Amino acid sequence: MSEKVIDIHDLYKSFGTNHVLRGIDINVHKGENVVVLGRSGTGKSVLIKIIAGLLKPDSGSVNVLGKEVDTLSTVDLRELRLKVGFCFQNGALYDSMTVGENLAFPLKRNTPGISNEQVRKSVNVTLEAVGLLKTIDQMPAELSGGQRKRIGIARTLILRPDIMLYDEPTAGLDPITCTEINNLINEVQRRFHTSSIIITHDLTCAKDVGDKIVVMKEGKFVKQGTFDEVFSTKDELINEFYDYNFIQ
Ligand SMILES: Nc1ncnc2c1ncn2[C@@H]1O[C@H](COP(=O)(O)OP(=O)(O)OP(=O)(O)O)[C@@H](O)[C@H]1O
Ligand SMILES: [Mg+2]
């Protein structure tokens, strides 16, 4: 097995008396797509925010790209964050900037001294990678939901992170657009050699993109394996998911 790019052991995180993560173990190997399934409020977003250094763990070990996250200085943490791309659910685009400017912005901010020509080239290559070069001069408000997701992914991808964290990348999309986003996630993995955690409620997404699936309940992982392994047993927990997805 290849090296681990994320290795988390016995992770705990509470907010006051709300004990959200209660002893999480998870690892992601280089090049792997790991899907995290779990009901609303189980702490999935909190988990990836800790991995991205956006929230601090209470206890446990969080190793990302060989670095123990909570021992890092501010400067080292900042450097690590650049290698960990976080795709927010709504894409977090700046509405007053064009698509091209939305991509150029993080690149210029994080790459001091980069030339305008390099920025232009990188914006073009990255937009082309998500299939939306034609939208370069459009405003975010002019995009469809699926296009916004793609641009959100492109904006994260432009810094060429080693790790991509996707928070519900297909939420609110129709089935065909969902499939396109799933294909894009796999394409990004192949083309940019990223390792990913994908949070989703969508079982089709889990099946299409997940090399490994972990199921989370009440702050713990209760099951993990390939999609077929996890869903081969129709136990109560998995039935909950089928029902849940059906209702959704
Ligand atoms: N910054 C914060 N301060 C206080 N409580 C928080 C904070 N972030 C998350 N929580 C709490 O942690 C719990 C887990 O939240 P989280 O967003 O991780 O859930 P989730 O599994 O991603 O749910 P969903 O599927 O609805 O996105 C919730 O009870 C939430 O209120
Ligand atoms: Mg969430």
Side-chain angles (χ1 to χ4, degrees):
M1 209 27 146
S2 55
E3 69 188 273
K4 290 176 189 167
V5 291
I6 297 175
D7 195 5
I8 291 181
H9 185 59
D10 215 20
L11 171 64
Y12 283 79
K13 177 71 181 176
S14 300
F15 298 98
T17 56
N18 185 5
H19 304 297
V20 179
L21 301 181
R22 306 180 204 175
I24 293 278
D25 291 286
I26 185 175
N27 54 64
V28 178
H29 289 89
K30 194 166 169 41
E32 197 176 32
N33 274 347
V34 175
V35 164
V36 177
L37 287 171
R39 289 199 155 186
S40 202
T42 45
K44 305 180 299 296
S45 295
V46 167
L47 172 66
I48 60 169
K49 282 179 188 164
I50 289 174
I51 294 169
L54 302 171
L55 280 174
K56 272 194 173 303
D58 293 341
S59 66
S61 143
V62 180
N63 193 292
V64 179
L65 296 168
K67 304 239 159 72
E68 212 46 51
V69 170
D70 60 351
T71 62
L72 293 180
S73 65
T74 316
V75 175
D76 289 344
L77 189 61
R78 205 183 116 76
E79 200 169 297
L80 184 66
R81 272 190 199 148
L82 293 178
K83 298 180 182 157
V84 181
F86 197 107
C87 298
F88 291 93
Q89 188 172 327
N90 60 7
L93 302 178
Y94 298 109
D95 287 327
S96 59
M97 294 182 190
T98 65
V99 165
E101 288 163 354
N102 261 284
L103 265 70
F105 187 77
L107 189 60
K108 284 185 190 158
R109 193 181 48 186
N110 291 297
T111 326
I114 190 168
S115 72
N116 287 339
E117 180 51 25
Q118 283 170 309
V119 171
R120 200 192 60 80
K121 204 168 154 197
S122 188
V123 167
N124 277 271
V125 168
T126 310
L127 277 177
E128 185 268 317
V130 302
L132 285 178
L133 187 53
K134 61 177 190 258
T135 66
I136 190 163
D137 293 321
Q138 282 184 260
M139 302 305 284
E142 299 171 305
L143 303 175
S144 70
Q147 288 177 326
R148 284 182 77 97
K149 298 264 188 198
R150 282 171 180 271
I151 299 301
I153 292 171
R155 208 181 63 157
T156 303
L157 198 56
I158 198 161
L159 295 177
R160 299 291 180 268
D162 295 309
I163 294 173
M164 292 285 279
L165 304 171
Y166 298 92
D167 201 348
E168 304 196 23
T170 61
L173 300 177
D174 66 78
I176 292 172
T177 313
C178 281
T179 303
E180 287 171 7
I181 298 290
N182 297 343
N183 291 342
L184 177 60
I185 291 171
N186 285 329
E187 168 82 15
V188 165
Q189 177 199 30
R190 272 194 301 270
R191 182 161 168 188
F192 297 95
H193 310 291
T194 49
S195 316
S196 311
I197 293 183
I198 302 107
I199 292 178
T200 186
H201 290 294
D202 176 1
L203 293 188
T204 309
C205 174
K207 194 174 169 49
D208 287 355
V209 308
D211 299 311
K212 179 166 86 190
I213 315 283
V214 297
V215 182
M216 209 168 145
K217 191 177 183 183
E218 288 161 8
K220 287 189 174 160
F221 285 156
V222 286
K223 204 153 189 185
Q224 67 170 292
T226 63
F227 186 88
D228 289 339
E229 282 163 4
V230 168
F231 287 95
S232 61
T233 50
K234 288 228 167 185
D235 56 26
E236 204 175 303
L237 170 84
I238 299 305
N239 281 334
E240 262 181 40
F241 267 100
Y242 276 117
D243 291 342
Y244 184 65
N245 234 51
F246 185 66
I247 297 162
Q248 296 264 304

